[in-house]
Amino acid sequence: MDEPDATRIHVPLSESAFLVVQRGDALLEVVELPANGRLTVGRASSNRIVLQDPKCSREHCEVFHRSGQWYLRDLDSRNGLTVDEHRVTGDHPLEFGEMIGIGLCTLLFQDQHPDQPGTSSKSRSAVDSGYQIIERQSGTQFDNPSLQRIQKHRDGATDLFRMARLMAAPTTVDELSRVVLEGLLAFTGGTLGGVLLDIEAKTNPQPEKIQAFALQGCDDSGRLSTYLTRIVLDEHNAILAHDISKHSAFAAQDSLQELAAESAICAPIRHESQVFGLIHLYSMNAESPMTQSDLEFVLAVADQMGDHLHTLLEKEELAAGLKKSKNQILELQDQLGAETELVGNSPALDAVRKSVLRVAPTDALVLIRGESGVGKELVARAVHFNSLRKEEPFICVNCAALTESLLESELFGHEKGAFTGASSRRAGKFEQADGGTLFLDEIGEMNAEIQAKFLRIIEGQPFERVGGGDPIQVDVRVVTATNRDLEEAVRAGTFRRDLYFRLQVIELNVPALREHPEDIPMIAQHFVDRFSSRSNFKTRGFGTAGIRKLQAHPWPGNVRELRNVVERAVILSDHEVLQPEDVVLTNLRIDDLLNEEPDTEPNRNSEQEFLDTSVDPMVDLFGSFIQQETSLDELDRYYIHAVLNSTDWNKSRASRVLQIERTTLDRRLKKYGISRPEGEDEEE
């Protein structure tokens, strides 16, 4: 290799060094070499300097610093490299002014950035040699308002005003992109172009995330030059490339070769420090190429588009936020309604509401009775959310849904290793509900051992986690519910007598749906509104015939069954107003449910025996009443009184004989003023 030129300078340790990367006459980038560092050059993206050149290996060479000197080393590249057109082997010490050659690319090693004043003439001439085929533009003449007034009818000022008017109309990103692209192609005389955006980018868009929002003259954004895209995204300036077909730098770019363009403009779409994307414009006409004036106009429009785009995206984000907030509000309102509102205006529900409002502010234990599906949890939530504990947790546990061991762990928690699978300490529902309300549904299913522990807690005693020994004290209001006959369970010895009396401080009876059919239209409409809004169905409600069909049904599943019937009708019906054929009801009868209840089995024979022995006297009694034109209420009162006397005033047996709910029997006794003679205790 020839001896170094006298103009070359040895590189001292303290000075900066730069590699100016070029392809043909085009400047690609300027890289400052890291002090005491190393960088690699190659085609792979893992290199600091990436060269998309067919003669460049994946890891072609490296530049490294050692003992105050920068060196160049070939990394066993396939095509090798040169310094000032001489082949390099081994470690070559670099001197300022030397030109590294890799395929069609060159890397100029120099001591100053090309834009710095005082750059050596040799270095600057190497960068600026040949015809300047790329012009860069960061600002335009239109940025100065006074200049715009003076040149109102010159250099595109009028057209810029028209473009601004056109850009103010679109309400979507797609519409704005199409308006801008059509206007710029008309102004510049371009043949094809595209608007590429990455609207989710917070600062600078990523090339792989950029997508086309408008194209004209081509059907694929992949045809637009990725080479120009990289330059614009790196520099944030608009560029004009002309005489493309005459220069090897552009000829090496596959995308530009496919386009066969003679001139091109690529401008960033900017808003303050944010870049949303870029605009590509290409002209195939060599006789009328795009000019410097076109470049300024395109950049001015691109900057205005960036401002409009920012406004549109803010509006879309605000609209999306409002929609989300509205949905959240509706959902919260829906949840609140499900938690605190009992739908219906019947006297039966009004009585429940009044009881809830009276009981809720206290800390008294509440026992809620009623058939399955009547809404006992709804009443429990109403008690909680109308109490002083409404800001604290409301925890629900279904005692019938868990096995004995799981229920104990669920209620009281467990320590790590207490049983197989207990991998960590877990707080129970009592601890989770501390300060709030614990609702225990199906309390009658709790076994005797847990009943004893539960009784201690509601008496104010501390408890221990399963497998633990530390006492835990909580402040919890307990609300329980059952659809079973607790009195019968006490007599049968499956439910503790002391726990029964402790729970029965306040008793709320929730009526079955068939006992207040006048509320069915309102409850059904409530469910129609809920399911229609959630499912986007346009169902308005039930017609008169549909309501009559609902009210005629006995509803063995109560409100839960009605909810399912309404949901099925809303989803499957094509009618805006639901008709009788939209209502699909169960064939299950109330008698079927009563016959299936296990707690009715022990006394079935005695009840049947009572009915068998009481038919004739009852017939004779009713016959005499009919002859006296007695009212139905009187018949009902006498019949209930006779049944109670025959069962020794055991209300549970009497209600089964009468085939009515225990709560219904209590209401009728109150209505008719029936009470047991003084001196005798009523049997529950």
Side-chain angles (χ1 to χ4, degrees):
M1 187 171 176
D2 295 345
E3 289 297 323
D5 194 291
T7 60
R8 293 174 182 159
I9 309 170
H10 180 72
V11 185
L13 178 63
S14 59
E15 290 190 10
S16 298
F18 298 86
L19 286 176
V20 181
V21 185
Q22 299 172 250
R23 181 183 284 110
D25 297 321
L27 174 64
L28 299 184
E29 63 176 325
V30 179
V31 178
E32 183 175 5
L33 298 179
N36 297 321
R38 170 183 178 273
L39 60 79
T40 60
V41 181
R43 198 174 67 251
S45 59
S46 57
N47 296 287
R48 172 58 185 87
I49 299 177
V50 180
L51 299 180
Q52 298 299 333
D53 190 288
K55 293 186 178 182
C56 181
S57 300
R58 290 184 58 81
E59 287 193 355
H60 199 96
C61 65
E62 65 176 339
V63 178
F64 61 93
H65 198 276
R66 186 176 64 198
S67 303
Q69 173 68 46
W70 284 99
Y71 291 88
L72 174 67
R73 177 186 295 164
D74 190 345
L75 297 177
D76 297 326
S77 63
R78 176 177 297 181
N79 298 301
L81 70 155
T82 63
V83 173
D84 288 347
E85 300 182 357
H86 296 280
R87 188 66 177 258
V88 170
T89 57
D91 294 346
H92 173 78
L94 286 171
E95 298 183 359
F96 291 134
E98 289 185 328
M99 188 79 73
I100 304 169
I102 303 175
L104 296 176
C105 299
T106 58
L107 287 74
L108 175 63
F109 182 68
Q110 60 183 44
D111 59 340
Q112 286 186 324
H113 195 283
D115 293 338
Q116 284 184 265
T119 303
S120 65
S121 59
K122 179 178 178 65
S123 300
R124 187 170 295 279
S125 64
V127 175
D128 295 336
S129 62
Y131 188 76
Q132 189 177 13
I133 60 171
I134 290 185
E135 301 178 22
R136 291 165 170 78
Q137 192 84 17
S138 60
T140 72
Q141 58 174 319
F142 304 108
D143 295 336
N144 189 330
S146 61
L147 198 65
Q148 184 174 342
R149 287 197 299 270
I150 294 172
Q151 300 180 352
K152 183 176 180 180
H153 299 293
R154 295 163 49 195
D155 298 322
T158 303
D159 292 306
L160 183 62
F161 174 75
R162 290 172 181 164
M163 283 293 298
R165 293 286 300 272
L166 290 173
M167 284 190 286
T171 57
T172 66
V173 176
D174 288 320
E175 292 176 2
L176 177 63
S177 301
R178 179 179 52 80
V179 166
V180 168
L181 183 59
E182 291 177 354
L184 291 179
L185 286 174
F187 180 86
T188 62
T191 309
L192 61 87
V195 174
L196 309 181
L197 299 174
D198 178 11
I199 57 178
E200 296 182 357
K202 300 301 181 184
T203 52
N204 296 328
Q206 301 297 318
E208 62 274 9
K209 294 184 179 180
I210 289 180
Q211 56 180 311
F213 277 75
L215 293 172
Q216 187 166 325
C218 65
D219 55 3
D220 183 9
S221 61
R223 294 184 59 196
L224 305 180
S225 173
T226 55
Y227 171 62
L228 297 181
T229 295
R230 287 196 302 271
I231 295 177
V232 171
L233 292 182
D234 288 342
E235 299 183 0
H236 293 187
N237 293 329
I239 60 174
L240 165 65
H242 41 78
D243 294 331
I244 294 176
S245 63
K246 299 178 181 179
H247 293 272
S248 59
F250 287 143
Q253 305 301 320
D254 294 337
S255 56
L256 290 173
Q257 281 186 331
E258 292 178 6
L259 289 172
E262 288 297 327
S263 57
I265 290 177
C266 191
I269 301 172
R270 308 175 295 193
H271 173 74
E272 297 178 351
S273 61
Q274 185 176 5
V275 176
F276 292 109
L278 27 74
I279 298 172
H280 281 262
L281 300 172
Y282 300 88
S283 174
M284 313 303 183
N285 190 349
E287 297 180 358
S288 181
M290 289 185 282
T291 64
Q292 176 68 27
S293 298
D294 295 329
L295 177 63
E296 288 203 352
F297 183 84
V298 172
L299 180 57
V301 171
D303 284 342
Q304 288 193 20
M305 181 184 179
D307 296 336
H308 284 286
L309 186 59
H310 175 73
T311 303
L312 280 180
L313 294 177
E314 277 195 334
K315 289 181 178 179
E316 289 182 0
E317 185 176 355
L318 179 61
L322 289 175
K323 183 177 180 181
K324 183 178 180 181
S325 299
K326 184 178 179 181
N327 291 337
Q328 290 176 341
I329 290 172
L330 291 175
E331 184 177 350
L332 290 173
Q333 288 176 341
D334 193 33
Q335 293 175 359
L336 183 63
E339 292 169 350
T340 63
E341 184 179 352
L342 297 173
V343 179
N345 294 321
S346 66
L349 282 185
D350 283 342
V352 175
R353 287 194 191 92
K354 290 177 182 178
S355 299
V356 168
L357 292 176
R358 181 178 291 272
V359 171
T362 71
D363 273 344
L365 275 74
V366 178
L367 174 62
I368 304 173
R369 289 180 181 263
E371 296 179 11
S372 178
V374 295
K376 296 187 288 295
E377 182 177 340
L378 194 70
V379 175
R381 289 180 181 274
V383 170
H384 172 74
F385 286 104
N386 285 280
S387 72
L388 301 178
R389 299 173 179 262
K390 62 184 178 181
E391 302 297 332
E392 302 301 327
F394 176 80
I395 305 297
C396 299
V397 179
N398 189 331
C399 299
L402 300 170
T403 64
E404 178 181 338
S405 58
L406 285 178
L407 179 59
E408 184 177 12
S409 172
E410 190 75 10
L411 290 176
F412 311 117
H414 61 255
E415 298 289 346
K416 181 178 180 180
F419 50 84
T420 303
S423 57
S424 61
R425 171 185 288 182
R426 184 177 183 275
K429 297 301 184 184
F430 272 101
E431 291 181 75
Q432 296 175 30
D434 191 19
T437 302
L438 177 63
F439 173 58
L440 299 178
D441 199 5
E442 304 294 351
I443 188 68
E445 304 298 329
M446 188 180 289
N447 65 45
E449 183 179 348
I450 300 180
Q451 288 177 30
K453 196 170 183 179
F454 175 56
L455 179 61
R456 285 179 53 81
I457 297 175
I458 60 178
E459 291 286 358
Q461 299 297 322
F463 65 94
E464 300 171 355
R465 298 189 187 96
V466 177
D470 298 330
I472 300 171
Q473 188 79 43
V474 293
D475 173 25
V476 175
R477 180 182 190 173
V478 175
V479 177
T480 60
T482 183
N483 63 353
R484 306 297 296 273
D485 191 337
L486 290 184
E487 294 80 8
E488 190 64 34
V490 171
R491 283 191 290 272
T494 58
F495 198 83
R496 294 176 62 100
R497 183 182 296 271
D498 50 358
L499 177 58
Y500 167 78
F501 288 115
R502 185 66 184 89
L503 292 178
Q504 208 176 25
V505 178
I506 302 292
E507 185 173 307
L508 298 179
N509 294 293
V510 185
L513 183 57
R514 61 183 174 277
E515 296 178 14
H516 54 109
E518 62 270 34
D519 288 328
I520 289 178
M522 185 179 297
I523 298 174
Q525 186 61 47
H526 170 75
F527 288 133
V528 167
D529 294 339
R530 175 187 295 183
F531 297 129
S532 297
S533 62
R534 288 181 177 178
S535 307
N536 295 322
F537 293 114
K538 297 181 179 179
T539 306
R540 292 168 49 191
F542 285 89
T544 303
I547 290 295
R548 283 200 297 266
K549 184 173 180 179
L550 292 176
Q551 289 182 309
H553 186 61
W555 298 109
N558 291 294
V559 179
R560 182 184 293 118
E561 181 187 359
L562 175 59
R563 178 188 184 278
N564 295 338
V565 168
V566 174
E567 183 175 13
R568 184 189 307 116
V570 170
I571 294 174
L572 298 181
S573 176
D574 295 327
H575 302 132
E576 190 173 353
V577 177
L578 298 174
Q579 303 300 321
E581 58 268 24
D582 298 320
V583 180
V584 181
L585 301 172
T586 180
N587 293 324
L588 193 65
R589 299 177 301 171
I590 298 296
D591 293 343
D592 298 331
L593 297 180
L594 291 175
N595 291 336
E596 290 176 0
E597 291 186 4
D599 59 329
T600 64
E601 292 295 334
N603 296 309
R604 178 173 296 179
N605 293 334
S606 60
E607 291 158 11
Q608 186 61 45
E609 181 180 350
F610 163 77
L611 290 174
D612 293 340
T613 59
S614 304
V615 171
D616 291 340
M618 289 297 176
V619 171
D620 295 340
L621 179 63
F622 290 162
S624 64
F625 285 154
I626 292 172
Q627 291 177 359
Q628 299 174 17
E629 297 184 355
T630 306
S631 67
L632 290 176
D633 281 347
E634 284 295 311
L635 286 173
D636 192 28
R637 184 174 69 84
Y638 279 111
Y639 182 48
I640 291 175
H641 196 277
V643 172
L644 284 170
N645 285 333
S646 66
T647 59
D648 294 328
W649 279 78
N650 185 317
K651 291 183 179 179
S652 297
R653 288 186 60 199
S655 62
R656 288 194 292 273
V657 171
L658 294 168
Q659 296 187 5
I660 60 176
E661 290 293 317
R662 165 66 186 276
T663 56
T664 303
L665 176 61
D666 289 336
R667 284 197 296 273
R668 291 187 183 179
L669 292 178
K670 184 177 181 181
K671 175 182 178 181
Y672 299 140
I674 300 175
S675 60
R676 181 148 190 174
E678 295 183 4
E680 298 184 17
D681 295 330
E682 297 180 0
E683 292 187 29
E684 296 298 316

